[in-house]
Amino acid sequence: MKHTLKLVLPIGLLVLSSCISNNWGHRPQSVNADERLANLVQQYEHAQTHHDQGDGTNHILVDAERFKNEIERLSVEFPRHVPTLFTNAALAFDHAEFAKCQSYCDRLFSIESVHPDAAVLRSQVAIREGDLPFAKRLLETQKGYAPDHARLREALSATLYLMKDYDGALRELDTAERLGTALWRTAYNRGLIAEAKGDAKGAMAAYEASIAANPDFAPAKARLAGRKAEGGVQ
């Protein structure tokens, strides 16, 4: 198995809950930023949803880009508003603007040192750059402050997997599942780890569990079919 494969992570972090105010929200200026950010995110997601559903074409893409730009301008107007910085980091990641994502995450951490969701994003950028030790250090540090954060555990599991620490990756996956991570993701990721360890039977069982939990998850179907074909299993 090629170790360039990454465990599946819930990277779609742009949700309205990201707009909940932190300590800065006690200031009237930041309350205003919260409201404006929430409104812009809602409009952006509405435009994205209509585009994904095939409702309209060019004007929907233009609207989504316009709202993205307005969210970015909000970070200039409120440079210390953590939810705005995080939302921009998430948008940058979703648009493959990884240097920009890193910049927003670094600005965020200079203001608020504990932010597990930002750590997940920043670790993914580090992994893309091949800096696995940095990703591991960042995630382990954040885990010390937020040990109950499931996405953080998944991200650490993915990093350990890429570092070929399969036992560590499995431990983090087990914890993530107990913290509420979706079974279809943890099962699929266990399948990848089993493959890396040369356990074809265990991998197939894990992929079957993933498919049972999420019948529409194509990657698990593809990997299960591949392993069955290699082993002559019908």
Side-chain angles (χ1 to χ4, degrees):
M1 172 182 168
K2 295 184 182 298
H3 295 293
T4 52
L5 282 169
K6 295 181 182 178
L7 274 68
V8 172
L9 282 170
I11 294 299
L13 297 174
L14 183 60
V15 292
L16 285 176
S17 61
S18 71
C19 301
I20 295 174
S21 178
N22 54 21
N23 291 336
W24 292 89
H26 295 294
R27 297 169 55 186
Q29 183 184 42
S30 291
V31 170
N32 185 37
D34 287 337
E35 294 172 354
R36 288 169 61 186
L37 178 60
N39 182 56
L40 287 170
V41 168
Q42 186 175 37
Q43 293 178 87
Y44 172 83
E45 291 187 330
H46 177 75
Q48 285 289 98
T49 300
H50 279 271
H51 171 62
D52 292 341
Q53 292 175 346
D55 302 335
T57 52
N58 292 336
H59 79 278
I60 296 224
L61 290 172
V62 170
D63 283 347
E65 186 65 23
R66 177 168 64 84
F67 294 130
K68 177 178 178 293
N69 291 338
E70 289 184 18
I71 292 170
E72 190 158 0
R73 282 194 290 272
L74 199 64
S75 72
V76 177
E77 187 174 349
F78 300 97
R80 296 185 63 82
H81 187 245
V82 168
T84 295
L85 294 174
F86 174 71
T87 301
N88 275 290
L91 280 171
F93 189 93
D94 286 345
H95 287 261
E97 299 171 339
F98 301 119
K100 186 179 288 186
C101 175
Q102 176 178 332
S103 176
Y104 277 115
C105 286
D106 292 346
R107 285 172 57 187
L108 185 157
F109 285 128
S110 72
I111 300 165
E112 186 172 297
S113 59
V114 180
H115 198 298
D117 286 326
V120 171
L121 282 178
R122 182 65 182 87
S123 72
Q124 291 303 292
V125 174
I127 287 171
R128 287 176 178 275
E129 296 174 341
D131 195 349
L132 295 173
F134 175 86
K136 180 184 177 185
R137 286 196 305 272
L138 174 63
L139 294 168
E140 287 183 335
T141 298
Q142 292 286 315
K143 185 179 78 170
Y145 292 110
D148 61 341
H149 196 280
R151 275 197 297 260
L152 194 66
R153 297 283 188 159
E154 286 185 87
L156 182 54
S157 176
T159 303
L160 295 173
Y161 163 78
L162 291 170
M163 298 178 81
K164 302 184 181 180
D165 180 1
Y166 303 128
D167 291 339
L170 284 171
R171 283 195 300 271
E172 295 299 332
L173 270 186
D174 289 342
T175 302
E177 190 170 294
R178 288 194 291 271
L179 289 170
T181 293
L183 174 61
W184 64 268
R185 276 204 312 270
T186 55
Y188 176 77
N189 291 339
R190 286 194 184 96
L192 292 181
I193 294 170
E195 281 196 67
K197 297 173 70 174
D199 180 7
K201 185 177 293 186
M204 287 191 290
Y207 295 142
E208 286 171 348
S210 178
I211 295 167
N214 183 359
D216 296 325
F217 187 45
K221 291 181 179 180
R223 298 206 71 79
L224 178 61
R227 298 296 76 77
K228 285 184 173 180
E230 290 173 357
V233 179
Q234 298 298 319

